[in-house]
Amino acid sequence: MPDNPNHVALARAYQAATDWIDGYATRPVGATIGAAELRRRMRVPLQREPMDAAQIIDDLVAMTEGGLHGSAGGRFFAWVMGGALPSALAADWLTTAWDQNGALYTTSPAAAIVEEVAGEWLLDVLDLPRDASFALTTGCQLAHFTGLAAARHAVLQRHGWDEHLDGLSGAPRIRVLASEHHHGSVDRAVRFLGIGARNIESLETDRMGCIAASTLAHALEKYSGPTIVVLDAADLNIAAFDDCSVLVPIAQAVGAWVHVDGAFGLFARASATKRALLNGVELADSWAMDAHKWLNVPFDCGISVVRDRAAHRAAMTLTASYITAPEDTRNQIDWNPEWSRRARGFPVYAALRELGRDGLGDLIDRTCAHCEAIVTGIGAMPGAETVWVSQLNQGLVRFLDTRPGAEAADHDRRTDRVIAAVNAGGEAFFSGTTWQGRRAMRVSVVNWRTSDDDVSRTLAAVRQALAAAAG
Ligand SMILES: *Cc1c(COP(=O)(O)O)cnc(C)c1O
């Protein structure tokens, strides 16, 4: 059926997608055009008549040219952005073509069962309690929301309050203790949940970026009301792991709920060489992770895991006459904040199968080694300095203003200038951060695609940008 509009539009999309992937080797990694040019191209008048589907796809491909980042390619090290494994990408396409509503077993039996199995596999490879409940959310942000909603319900219940029925006005104040390095998505989840940003207390960390036992114990002593402790596994600047084997028992002994931000770091449980960094993480009460980072599933997919199934279900479930499930099946709506939703289980299931247990461990080890090679390689260049060689896959470097008398602010400016020069060069792409009051360049490696050759090309590009900046 050559003129079936579905076939033609999908065929054009297939061609554009494979061209895009082939272009990772040669195209500039970062976008080369900005808002003004994109608006000029895309702000066409919305016409009155319908338009041909294939033409729309062709136009989108032309209009976005230069406006997309090669973030799923092998030389993109900004933020923490995963790539897409081949089977996960293809399964994600099928998910769209099948267009299932992943809310209930009855709205898509296959979507419900694939998600059930993907959840079992995740608990297994992450080595979390096998009887914990889970949800596949849009990302770690909503995984925090889900886990902390369960936490809020449990800690208020222990103090004789039901916020589901009575709301939060008049409820005992909930206090949240979190590392000074906690991710902004934790603050947002706390805000969404009506706990209030003022009730987050940031705890000082030690030289290694971790909360000390005495710091946590002291903070817990100050308040005997409902308390939630958020621990990092790991933070995104230096991949600092709070020591769960020590901290979780201290918090739980006084009735606090422990939630772990393991957006990418929890996947290190799958590596035989790295898993000791996460000793005791399995003792926590809830965990939030991302599939779209280290598992290399296309955006978007997060993972919420909760030990107390009853609290998790109570926080998310609802009753409506048409929401039923045959015995022994799982309605995703009982565990997720969404109602209608994408069938996120298909790409997660595909990625786990494509890698296998050993392959997931290899991916973790390989990306960590690439991160170390980039950080130490740049750190050894004249005019550069290693700030943090990571034990995992996040490291920091900075660039120095070598003029006599240069001060910290000059080094900061130089660092931002070199980052911009590397990104403008098109061979690699990095983001900056402020670490202990100083600017630094983050090196974040999570992509399955990054190869030894990508590492060499990246080091050459940084060397060149540095030389140009010095000249
Ligand atoms: C990425 C990240 C988040 C937020 O995850 P999203 O998937 O973007 O919602 C939270 N915490 C850490 C440590 C992260 O790296």
Side-chain angles (χ1 to χ4, degrees), residues 358-373:
D358 292 348
L360 180 58
D362 290 347
L363 168 66
I364 303 304
D365 291 343
R366 191 169 77 237
T367 41
C368 290
H370 287 324
C371 180
E372 187 178 340

Side-chain angles (χ1 to χ4, degrees), residues 80 138-142 144 183-186 232-236 261-264 289-290 292-293 299 301-302:
V80 187
T138 49
C140 196
Q141 171 70 77
L142 264 284
H144 283 322
H183 193 270
S185 55
V186 173
D232 281 341
D235 94 293
L236 55 70
D261 182 352
F264 59 91
M289 284 82 67
D290 268 316
H292 58 218
K293 288 179 177 168
F299 290 108
C301 188

